[in-house]
Amino acid sequence: MSAVSTVEKVGTGLDEGAANRDGALATLRRGLRLSPEFRVGLPVTLLLGLVATVGRVVVPIAVQQTIDRGLQAEGGPDVAFIRTAVLLSAAVVLVTALAAYLMNVRLYRTSEGGLATLRIKAFRHVHDLSMLTQSGERRGSLVSRVTGDVDQISQFMQWGGLMIIVSMGQLVVASVLMAVYSWQLALLVWASFLPLAFALRYFQRLLSGAYTTVRERVGDMLAAVGESVVGASVIRAYAAEERTARRIDESVESYRRAQTRAQGLVALTFPSSELVAALATAAVVVAGTLLGVGGHLTAGELVAFLFLVTLFVGPMQVATEVLNEAQNAVAGWRRVLGVLDTEPDVADPGPAGRELPRGPIEVRFEDVSFAYPGGPTVLHEVSVDIAPRSRIAVVGETGSGKTTFAKLLTRLMDPVEGRVLVDGVPLDRVRFSSLRERIVMVPQDGFLFDASLGDNIRYGRPEATDEDLLLALTELGLADWLEGLPRGLDTPVGQRGESLSAGERQLVALARAYLAAPDLLVLDEATSAVDPATEVRLQRALDGVTRGRTAISIAHRLSTAEAADEVIVFDHGRIVQRGPHTELVAEPGVYADLHASWIAQRRI
Amino acid sequence: MPAGPPKVEPHILREGMRVLWVAVRAEPAVFTLSVAASGLYAAMTVASAWVLGWATDHVVLPAFREGRTTAGTLTAGALAIVGVAVLKALGVGGRRFFAGLMQYRMQARYRRAVTRQYLRLPLAWHHRHPTGQLLSNANADVEAAWAPIAPLPMAVGVVFMLVVATVSLLLVDVPVALVGLCVFPAIALINVVYQRRLSPLAARAQQLRAEVSEVAHESFEGGLVVKTLGRERAETERFAERARALRDANVAVGRVRGLFDPLLEALPNLGVLAVLLVGSMRLEAGALNAGDLVSVSFLFTLLAWPIRALGWVLAEVPRSVVGWNRVRAVLDASGSLPYGEHPLDGDGPAGLEVREVRFAYEEPTDEDGDGDGVGNGVGNGKTHVLHDVSFAAGPGRTVAVVGPTGSGKSTLTGLLVRLVDPAGGAVLLDGIDARQAGRGAVAATAALVPQQTFLFDDTVRGNVTLGADIPDEQVWQALRLAQADGFVAALPDGMDTRVGERGATLSGGQRQRLALARAVVRRPRLLVLDDATSSVDPQVESRILQGLRAAQGEDGGSTVVVVAYRKATISLADEVVYIEHGRVLDRGPHAELLERSEGYRNLVNAYERAEAERDAVEDGRDAIEGEEVTA
């Protein structure tokens, strides 16, 4: 798909290689290991399962025996025997039901516990992945990996896994009994089922592929549906409903096709055991009769043996069913493992990393180059020192490398070459907890969570009180704005903050970062949607409150540059100019040109 | 979002049957085939037992008795066994396949229906419903609604078998039959209790499933913020809390289901035993012969296993009804924008009049507490955003809307292209109330470039044309006007390069320019720009403005409403509308407003004033330093 090749330019996506290479069994083993809950109290559950299964086998036999020996006893029905048998059988039925109930409850508890753990692990891992990996995946697809894909596993865990173990037991018991009656016929039965085992292996591979496709199609469908929801206003503004509907229909349809194909395979696989069982029975009848004619077998033995064959066939049928569930579960596990197997390429050094002491931050870039995976180099050997406490403006044309610079500075990405140091420590040696506390970036699109305004501002410092919030907003000169909101800090911001205007969202994002009190604040076009008067006010407030901290702002509006201590000018991935505004504006060059257009825009 | 007490349907089973009836009516042919296959399977299950008995009596036993057999007899026996098995296999395969076909067709059908609603329902409805929940409605809820279809054909077969069993029981012996038939009311009773107990639990689990999806969706979407503020652990905790609640809800469901399944399995067995017990007494009394009791017992043992299929259907019913209700809530949601009859087929730039427009947002909540996950939109607070806004833009004129952050400008732009309707007043295009315009007429006339760009996971071309048949030349022209031709040409596949989800492969400025191209390529008669160049650097922006100005001269151009802060943009306008707190404070040419409106002056001259003050400070500092030197 061409989509993949372009997406790889900004994002690397998940590394699904390992999980897909693994065989189904290996995936199963790895999947089970991820959730230790599955094993909790397993022996007792197995025992209960065994009792339930034995009961399930014994009850029809008991009924059969009651009929055979009680009702059809020689010399008329034996009523006393029937009564005893009925009472005993009833007891067995009740014990079976009780065991099944206890087993079910235990299975639900362990499997749901295990799946919750799996969900949470995968969720956390998605956040640990680098920004590049995250943006290489569609969100709908990531969401399905912690929701629907995990749900796929539950059916197998609540029923299949146990059934397969119990069925194996039944197979062994039936095999042994068969061999006791007639080893020749037992061999024959085994020989007839052998091709089935091979056929199932083949079907299993097909099924596995089919279910993996199904899971992928769900992701596609969710992405398409997501567009219709998130892009609702654009779709309306351009009357693109029909076209969007077509796109959704395509994804819904290809999901349905994938499901139907998988179901077709199941419909083919499942009866195969039925056929093989019939072949085995027919073979036993023929061979048994021939053996009987030869005097090697009695009629009674053959009849008993035929009953054993049905005992043997039952678990085989269950096994094909379980296999189907297992493939479904493996497909789900693969998708979850696809997340967990992807190494975060921007990794937290963890406890081994360094803790940065609080205080103004000094930044140093040493010959830093960067290229997006598979893309051209966007930053060429950039070397720069930023002194503590300085307020720097970074300017340049669109695509000159400013945002890349900011992302490297905040370690959202790691350089391809060279290194970034803060306070003399290489950035990749700094513990994330320390890094994120000291260095905060405000991205251009101020994403807000669907909560109150106050909760959003508090996001970076959850323990902050309302008074802290009001103080911060006042310090930023935003108290007037807050007063204009009828519900103040309790104002619900809506999904993605869409009940606020883009400018207001930026104000909240800025306040949120400011409240987190970092020592280095990086603003990437953080006020691009704010009106000039508010921006100037904010600028001035920031100048005051960030005094003593290092602040780096990227801005198209050169008012920011005019107010900064120093301006760094980017052009085609290189720093071409650096110095105070007054100096740069006087010398011919990129900055003077940028400034000229800026001034021209302000004229009428 | 707190999950309110879930709604419990009193007649959940009836409700469930109604849901299934919807499916049967929608797919009668497939359903018939699946039931037929199921019937074949049931018949062949009985036949296989019969064939084996026949083979024993006619092939095996004579051979043992006589000490010889013939190839023909053996072949006949083997063929009979295999033949029945082939038919049985066809039955199983057919039942599975057709049930699957039906289930997936129903899913696809309702996914289409639900998403059609998403596209049809007004934005106000969208504002009330979280994205994650809507995704869940289209996915998990639809799935849950049709989950009972898979075991349905088998269950229908079972119902048929039950009727046959009842009749044959009654024919044999009434007292035995009555004892045996006690099983059925017992099953019904257990089922009623089961549905009552399970429904609220299933509703809660389904609600939590949606909430887990909501949290994941929002959290991944805000991934950058989570990262930059180092909140991964807190986010995981937020997710874990919901995931654990879902776990507990599922375990609670499991506890009820886990009891129900074995009970339903045990009942027919107990029934057989009861029949045997009572039958043996009747036997003693001489009211019954042994052969009849044997056949009756055999019938019951045959029923024991398939009756579980009935249980599977019943077990899925509560979840199905919950899913169905959640789906129905979307399908039944009303309040689409009604369209009128008027075409807007004027030539050249459109005339625009905004007449005393008022607007208020309903606050986004989903706390109506009925557990269906759908807010009722009643009784929620309203935030008034626009108050009696009036202005006009004659054909070909350009109006700038200026105002501080949060003053209602973006809301106003949405009203102009009829994304939403005003609560009072009217927006008129060519003198026609936008509400009177025919379907698609406003979209064909007016184009909005929103502040927040949205790109589809499609090619550049697809994003600009949105499927309209527009020649490449014209697309390039639009890209050129939006100053996007350069970077688009440099993309690996040019216009056919895919831009990724929401344009993830592009920068903010690039996305904005594509959104602009999307608007201008349509040559709209009314162009509404909502701060549409905020992410573009000054040089590129001025080239875009030059292009727009030039385009105004050609082919009639457009009427333009532009939300702007920069003077260069404002200078394009014939008139400026100055808005504060949702009210028009002043209107007129820029120069006049500059004279008479203090708010406007402060806003547009903010940079100059800041510069002047800074210079003054620096001059002051220079003066002080100068003095120090002289001292």
Side-chain angles (χ1 to χ4, degrees):
Chain A
M1 261 195 306
S2 60
V4 176
S5 65
T6 49
V7 166
E8 273 170 0
K9 265 192 69 210
V10 282
T12 49
L14 297 175
D15 170 24
E16 315 240 26
N20 282 339
R21 265 195 310 278
D22 279 350
L25 214 59
T27 307
L28 208 69
R29 240 196 320 269
R30 292 189 51 210
L32 286 174
R33 211 177 307 142
L34 280 172
S35 308
E37 289 88 345
F38 289 147
R39 279 197 300 270
V40 172
L42 194 58
V44 177
T45 311
L46 271 179
L47 201 68
L48 287 168
L50 207 66
V51 172
T53 311
V54 169
R56 225 169 263 165
V57 176
V58 164
V59 167
I61 294 178
V63 171
Q64 196 61 43
Q65 288 294 308
T66 314
I67 294 172
D68 278 359
R69 292 175 43 190
L71 274 179
Q72 298 175 325
E74 284 174 31
D78 181 349
V79 175
F81 174 80
I82 292 176
R83 282 188 194 144
T84 323
V86 162
L87 287 179
L88 273 176
S89 303
V92 173
V93 169
L94 291 177
V95 168
T96 304
L98 184 68
Y101 165 65
L102 291 176
M103 175 192 79
N104 284 343
V105 169
R106 291 175 70 88
L107 277 175
Y108 268 104
R109 199 169 344 142
T110 52
S111 65
E112 287 298 332
L115 294 181
T117 306
L118 194 64
R119 257 187 240 281
I120 295 165
K121 263 188 194 155
F123 178 91
R124 171 65 205 234
H125 201 80
V126 168
H127 274 306
D128 284 342
L129 292 172
S130 75
M131 200 195 71
L132 283 179
T133 315
Q134 285 178 0
S135 55
E137 283 291 317
R138 286 169 315 189
R139 289 175 195 94
S141 165
L142 285 177
V143 171
S144 81
R145 284 168 200 264
V146 297
T147 55
D149 291 333
V150 174
D151 291 336
Q152 288 304 310
I153 305 170
S154 68
Q155 188 87 2
F156 173 72
M157 289 317 299
Q158 279 154 19
W159 176 73
L162 194 81
M163 277 321 268
I164 220 160
I165 296 172
V166 172
S167 301
M168 287 299 162
Q170 199 177 326
L171 271 184
V172 171
V173 172
S175 298
V176 170
L177 286 177
M178 284 196 306
V180 168
Y181 276 97
S182 163
W183 61 268
Q184 297 98 327
L185 290 181
L187 271 183
L188 190 65
V189 170
W190 271 96
S192 353
F193 274 95
L194 216 57
L196 180 65
F198 285 111
L200 283 183
R201 266 186 78 86
Y202 171 72
F203 273 126
Q204 198 184 18
R205 250 197 301 273
L206 282 184
L207 257 181
S208 158
Y211 278 125
T212 305
T213 312
V214 168
R215 294 320 303 159
E216 282 167 8
R217 293 293 170 270
V218 181
D220 292 349
M221 182 194 73
L222 286 177
V225 174
E227 273 193 348
S228 75
V229 174
V230 181
S233 63
V234 169
I235 291 167
R236 271 158 196 73
Y238 288 92
E241 285 92 347
E242 265 176 46
R243 174 186 142 82
T244 313
R246 252 197 328 274
R247 284 159 64 93
I248 292 174
D249 286 358
E250 275 166 29
S251 68
V252 167
E253 186 53 25
S254 62
Y255 176 35
R256 191 194 65 78
R257 265 202 305 274
Q259 282 176 307
T260 308
R261 197 184 105 79
Q263 187 69 11
L265 281 172
V266 171
L268 273 181
T269 322
F270 193 66
S272 60
S273 65
E274 197 77 55
L275 282 178
V276 173
L279 284 175
T281 311
V284 167
V285 167
V286 171
T289 310
L290 290 176
L291 279 172
V293 169
H296 301 287
L297 199 69
T298 69
E301 278 170 341
L302 181 56
V303 170
F305 194 93
L306 282 172
F307 177 71
L308 285 178
V309 172
T310 58
L311 264 193
F312 183 85
V313 170
M316 284 307 281
Q317 279 173 339
V318 170
T320 48
E321 182 80 339
V322 170
L323 219 58
N324 176 23
E325 286 297 343
Q327 286 308 337
N328 216 337
V330 164
W333 254 315
R334 278 210 176 110
R335 303 252 309 159
V336 180
L337 284 171
V339 171
L340 293 172
D341 281 347
T342 308
E343 286 291 322
D345 46 13
V346 178
D348 185 355
R354 296 268 299 268
E355 186 90 12
L356 291 173
R358 284 214 78 106
I361 281 189
E362 178 193 2
V363 180
R364 185 187 178 95
F365 272 58
E366 288 181 354
D367 297 324
V368 170
S369 295
F370 186 81
Y372 288 98
T377 306
V378 291
L379 220 55
H380 304 270
E381 291 166 22
V382 167
S383 294
V384 71
D385 281 300
I386 293 169
R389 293 190 182 82
S390 51
R391 279 190 301 277
I392 306 285
V394 177
V395 303
E397 281 195 40
T398 311
S400 58
K402 308 180 300 274
T403 297
T404 305
F405 177 74
K407 286 177 182 166
L408 292 172
L409 180 60
T410 48
R411 208 171 168 229
L412 290 173
M413 315 185 295
D414 280 336
V416 173
E417 271 171 61
R419 52 186 197 155
V420 181
L421 300 114
V422 283
D423 290 348
V425 182
L427 205 52
D428 56 6
R429 302 292 313 134
V430 180
R431 237 180 270 167
F432 269 15
S433 55
S434 175
L435 179 72
R436 300 298 181 215
E437 193 181 86
R438 307 264 334 263
I439 304 180
V440 170
M441 175 169 106
V442 186
Q444 181 172 11
D445 176 26
F447 180 92
L448 303 188
F449 292 87
D450 188 2
S452 72
L453 183 71
D455 286 344
N456 268 290
I457 298 176
R458 209 177 269 126
Y459 191 73
R461 217 180 94 195
E463 73 280 7
T465 62
D466 278 5
E467 285 69 44
D468 297 336
L469 262 56
L470 290 174
L471 184 68
L473 287 170
T474 311
E475 283 175 350
L476 288 172
L478 298 175
D480 288 350
W481 167 68
L482 185 69
E483 267 165 35
L485 297 172
R487 291 178 60 182
L489 288 176
D490 294 329
T491 307
V493 303
Q495 292 182 68
R496 296 176 286 274
E498 278 169 5
S499 299
L500 301 181
S501 76
E504 287 174 313
R505 282 202 292 277
Q506 288 192 332
L507 297 183
V508 178
L510 196 69
R512 171 169 68 191
Y514 171 66
L515 190 74
D519 292 314
L520 169 59
L521 191 61
V522 182
L523 308 176
D524 182 9
E525 289 285 332
T527 53
S528 60
V530 174
D531 73 76
T534 309
E535 190 189 19
V536 164
R537 236 181 10 251
L538 209 54
Q539 190 83 53
R540 207 168 292 154
L542 274 174
D543 277 356
V545 293
T546 59
R547 205 159 287 282
R549 302 179 195 174
T550 315
I552 297 175
S553 12
I554 297 172
H556 291 314
R557 296 185 183 174
L558 295 196
S559 54
T560 314
E562 289 168 4
D565 295 343
E566 243 187 332
V567 182
I568 295 177
V569 186
F570 274 84
D571 192 34
H572 293 100
R574 290 190 167 81
I575 294 181
V576 291
Q577 281 177 299
R578 181 179 179 174
H581 161 74
T582 43
E583 277 176 27
L584 292 185
V585 79
E587 64 189 50
V590 176
Y591 187 76
D593 293 348
L594 280 172
H595 196 258
S597 346
W598 164 247
I599 292 295
Q601 281 199 324
R602 286 165 29 187
R603 265 198 303 272
I604 287 239
Chain B
M1 191 179 63
K7 187 159 62 184
V8 187
E9 283 291 332
H11 304 295
I12 201 87
L13 191 60
R14 197 186 310 156
E15 193 88 343
M17 292 307 126
R18 201 173 299 148
V19 175
L20 283 173
W21 182 238
V22 170
V24 172
R25 251 192 343 223
E27 296 287 346
V30 181
F31 179 68
T32 310
L33 282 172
S34 65
V35 171
S38 174
L40 181 63
Y41 170 71
M44 288 305 120
T45 305
V46 177
S48 66
W50 180 81
V51 159
L52 200 58
W54 175 84
T56 312
D57 288 349
H58 292 88
V59 178
V60 177
L61 295 180
F64 276 81
R65 249 193 331 265
E66 293 159 27
R68 65 188 169 82
T69 185
T70 63
T73 322
L74 281 180
T75 314
L79 278 183
I81 292 171
V82 174
V84 166
V86 167
L87 289 178
K88 191 176 172 190
L90 273 178
V92 177
R95 169 170 61 82
R96 293 222 156 200
F97 181 75
F98 289 118
L101 197 65
M102 179 169 170
Q103 187 180 10
Y104 303 139
R105 276 193 184 174
M106 290 311 288
Q107 284 183 5
R109 179 189 296 243
Y110 275 82
R111 286 194 171 114
R112 282 195 291 267
V114 164
T115 49
R116 223 42 102 250
Q117 279 293 89
Y118 294 168
L119 293 172
R120 192 185 68 84
L121 287 167
L123 286 177
W125 185 86
H126 276 268
H127 286 295
R128 287 199 303 269
H129 297 86
T131 310
Q133 185 188 312
L134 297 187
L135 287 179
S136 193
N137 287 150
N139 189 31
D141 291 335
V142 168
E143 206 170 288
W146 303 122
I149 291 181
L152 183 61
M154 180 112 172
V156 171
V158 170
V159 169
F160 180 69
M161 283 163 83
L162 286 181
V163 172
V164 172
T166 310
V167 172
S168 38
L169 273 177
L170 285 170
L171 287 179
V172 170
D173 184 60
V174 174
V176 169
L178 288 181
V179 170
L181 292 179
C182 279
V183 170
F184 302 142
I187 288 177
L189 185 72
I190 288 183
N191 193 55
V192 167
V193 174
Y194 169 70
Q195 306 285 353
R196 286 259 163 80
R197 293 279 312 275
L198 194 65
S199 301
L201 298 175
R204 181 166 162 69
Q206 197 68 359
Q207 170 67 24
L208 282 164
R209 199 164 276 128
E211 285 178 30
V212 165
S213 152
E214 265 167 55
V215 172
H217 199 273
E218 186 186 42
S219 189
F220 292 164
E221 195 153 17
L224 189 59
V225 172
V226 174
K227 230 177 234 317
T228 51
L229 287 167
R231 299 286 294 159
E232 290 90 344
R233 190 184 302 171
E235 281 298 300
T236 307
E237 205 28 67
R238 185 160 80 98
F239 178 78
E241 192 260 317
R242 292 287 83 187
R244 289 193 197 109
L246 174 61
R247 174 196 64 195
D248 295 343
N250 279 340
V251 170
V253 166
R255 223 170 255 138
V256 178
R257 278 190 82 151
L259 180 63
F260 178 68
D261 281 344
L263 273 183
L264 205 61
E265 200 183 335
L267 270 177
N269 284 328
L270 291 175
V272 175
L273 295 173
V275 164
L276 280 173
L277 197 64
V278 176
S280 67
M281 288 185 216
R282 302 277 296 164
L283 216 57
E284 270 187 319
L288 190 68
N289 67 43
D292 284 343
L293 186 54
V294 169
S295 63
V296 163
S297 311
F298 181 66
L299 201 63
F300 253 95
T301 48
L302 267 190
L303 279 179
W305 192 75
I307 213 163
R308 298 182 68 202
L310 205 58
W312 295 333
V313 172
L314 296 177
E316 292 290 351
V317 160
R319 203 163 78 90
S320 158
V321 171
V322 170
W324 173 252
N325 285 339
R326 291 169 62 95
V327 168
R328 276 254 61 107
V330 175
L331 295 181
D332 292 342
S334 57
S336 72
L337 293 181
Y339 294 98
E341 297 294 323
H342 281 282
L344 292 170
D345 50 5
D347 267 341
L352 168 74
E353 193 188 342
V354 177
R355 204 182 275 165
E356 295 182 350
V357 158
R358 284 192 310 280
F359 190 80
Y361 280 110
E362 279 172 30
E363 283 182 0
T365 52
D366 176 28
E367 295 173 0
D368 54 344
D370 60 4
D372 60 2
V374 178
N376 54 17
V378 174
N380 295 328
K382 292 200 171 208
T383 317
H384 293 270
V385 185
L386 295 175
H387 312 268
D388 299 323
V389 170
S390 297
F391 68 90
R397 306 264 293 173
T398 297
V399 171
V401 176
V402 180
T405 301
S407 55
K409 305 182 296 295
S410 294
T411 306
L412 180 61
T413 60
L415 285 160
L416 298 185
V417 300
R418 207 182 170 215
L419 282 182
V420 287
D421 279 334
V427 174
L428 297 99
L429 294 166
D430 287 342
I432 293 163
D433 189 324
R435 284 169 291 207
Q436 301 300 317
R439 177 178 285 273
V442 173
T445 306
L448 166 72
V449 185
Q451 194 171 27
Q452 194 82 3
T453 46
F454 179 87
L455 296 187
F456 295 90
D457 185 3
D458 197 351
T459 60
V460 170
R461 185 203 312 274
N463 267 294
V464 173
T465 63
L466 291 180
D469 193 16
I470 299 172
D472 276 11
E473 196 188 323
Q474 213 172 317
V475 176
W476 278 116
Q477 202 183 332
L479 288 172
R480 208 154 33 239
L481 182 64
Q483 294 293 310
D485 52 333
F487 81 82
V488 170
L491 290 173
D493 297 318
M495 263 203 311
D496 294 309
T497 311
R498 296 190 76 101
V499 300
E501 192 181 37
R502 303 197 200 150
T505 62
L506 304 175
S507 76
Q510 289 171 331
R511 284 199 289 269
Q512 252 185 356
R513 283 178 272 169
L514 285 192
L516 184 62
R518 176 191 288 165
V520 296
V521 81
R522 302 186 141 59
R523 308 208 167 142
R525 296 170 54 224
L526 171 65
L527 179 62
V528 183
L529 304 173
D530 184 7
D531 202 15
T533 49
S534 59
S535 305
V536 177
D537 67 61
Q539 283 171 325
V540 173
E541 191 191 23
S542 55
R543 285 201 291 271
I544 291 174
L545 294 178
Q546 278 161 20
L548 278 178
R549 204 173 290 147
Q552 283 298 78
E554 299 162 14
D555 60 23
S558 317
T559 306
V560 179
V561 175
V562 56
V563 172
Y565 299 124
R566 302 181 200 183
K567 280 192 212 161
T569 318
I570 295 171
S571 74
L572 292 173
D574 304 302
E575 194 187 33
V576 176
V577 176
Y578 180 63
I579 295 187
E580 247 182 57
H581 292 114
R583 288 194 166 79
V584 176
L585 288 198
D586 209 343
R587 268 162 62 181
H590 168 73
E592 285 180 21
L593 257 62
L594 218 46
E595 281 287 309
R596 50 173 199 249
S597 169
E598 194 196 343
Y600 181 72
R601 195 163 51 237
N602 286 342
L603 191 75
V604 298
N605 283 337
Y607 297 134
E608 286 76 5
R609 290 186 341 143
E611 208 171 321
E613 282 169 29
R614 205 163 34 239
D615 287 347
V617 172
E618 268 164 29
D619 287 348
R621 199 184 299 147
D622 287 349
I624 293 165
E625 280 169 10
E627 277 169 27
E628 280 168 359
V629 171
T630 43

